[in-house]
Amino acid sequence: LTENGTYRVRINGAGDDTGNYSFSLRDLEQATSATLDQVYSGILEPGEASHLYQFTATANQRLFIDYQDNSGSVYNDRAKWILYDSGNQEVASSYTGDYIEVVLDADDTYILAIEGDREDIPVEYSFEIITPDELSTPIVFNTLIENGISEKGEQDRFTFTGQQGQRISLDVVNRSFNTSAQLIGPSG
């Protein structure tokens, strides 16, 4: 909040709409503490409820927030998750059937809000805030590199020294899963 004093919550019907409503005002300092690289589960009941998790992270830290779908469905869009910084600014968001991958801007305490959008049924969820490995390995031209991605969100980086005007080719020999390869110059 920006000032001391009495605040109001105003609820208005849209046009001539009438009906029941419910809400709660949540103190974000009371959010459940979350430890990175640990799985958390819960049930939003009613299905439009919200659960809040808070964690501390550092500037330039990469996070991969992974939805753990135990229902067997390929897509689970019955809830949305939103990552906020301590200034209540949205950092990233997605429906829970998808992941969030983000590089954080600041040392901060972050809030992950899981918000249901189904009033008729409870919404089960399970997730992990992964701090993926970032491996950097120097390589030599004309040498086959055989490696693998062992963690969700992991990025393997290989470095070499090149000269302006040098002609090279990136030869992807085997790619057994959904990956991408990108050549990035010294200036980014």
Side-chain angles (χ1 to χ4, degrees):
L1 301 176
T2 58
E3 61 182 315
N4 294 329
T6 302
Y7 287 80
R8 296 181 298 263
V9 175
R10 182 185 344 212
I11 309 293
N12 293 330
D16 60 356
D17 285 348
T18 62
N20 298 327
Y21 62 87
S22 63
F23 71 93
S24 65
L25 191 58
R26 309 277 305 268
D27 180 353
L28 297 182
E29 296 301 320
Q30 302 301 314
T32 301
S33 290
T35 302
L36 301 177
D37 298 306
Q38 183 173 324
V39 176
Y40 291 88
S41 299
I43 300 174
L44 301 176
E45 195 166 9
E48 289 184 321
S50 296
H51 287 177
L52 304 173
Y53 294 85
Q54 66 177 328
F55 61 92
T56 302
T58 58
N60 299 315
Q61 186 171 14
R62 286 186 60 247
L63 298 179
F64 187 92
I65 304 173
D66 183 38
Y67 181 73
Q68 313 274 312
D69 186 2
N70 298 324
S71 69
S73 69
V74 176
Y75 300 101
N76 188 336
D77 59 357
R78 298 183 309 173
K80 184 175 185 179
W81 49 18
I82 306 169
L83 183 62
Y84 295 101
D85 64 17
S86 62
N88 291 332
Q89 297 300 307
E90 183 177 312
V91 175
S93 66
S94 177
Y95 279 95
T96 54
D98 203 357
Y99 60 85
I100 293 176
E101 190 168 11
V102 64
V103 176
L104 301 173
D105 290 335
D107 294 356
D108 208 346
T109 298
Y110 293 86
I111 298 287
L112 180 63
I114 301 174
E115 301 178 348
D117 65 1
R118 296 294 302 264
E119 65 182 59
D120 54 338
I121 57 173
V123 175
E124 294 184 40
Y125 65 87
S126 182
F127 69 92
E128 181 178 8
I129 305 170
I130 299 170
T131 54
D133 293 334
E134 293 186 38
L135 307 175
S136 184
T137 308
I139 58 173
V140 176
F141 285 105
N142 303 317
T143 302
L144 180 63
I145 304 297
E146 295 182 287
N147 208 341
I149 301 293
S150 60
E151 180 179 45
K152 293 179 181 181
E154 178 181 325
Q155 291 184 359
D156 294 350
R157 298 175 183 176
F158 299 92
T159 61
F160 63 92
T161 301
Q163 302 299 317
Q164 185 174 0
Q166 185 177 8
R167 297 179 61 193
I168 65 169
S169 171
L170 177 62
D171 182 14
V172 179
V173 177
N174 181 12
R175 195 174 74 171
S176 61
F177 59 99
N178 188 18
T179 61
S180 64
Q182 183 179 17
L183 181 62
I184 302 168
S187 60

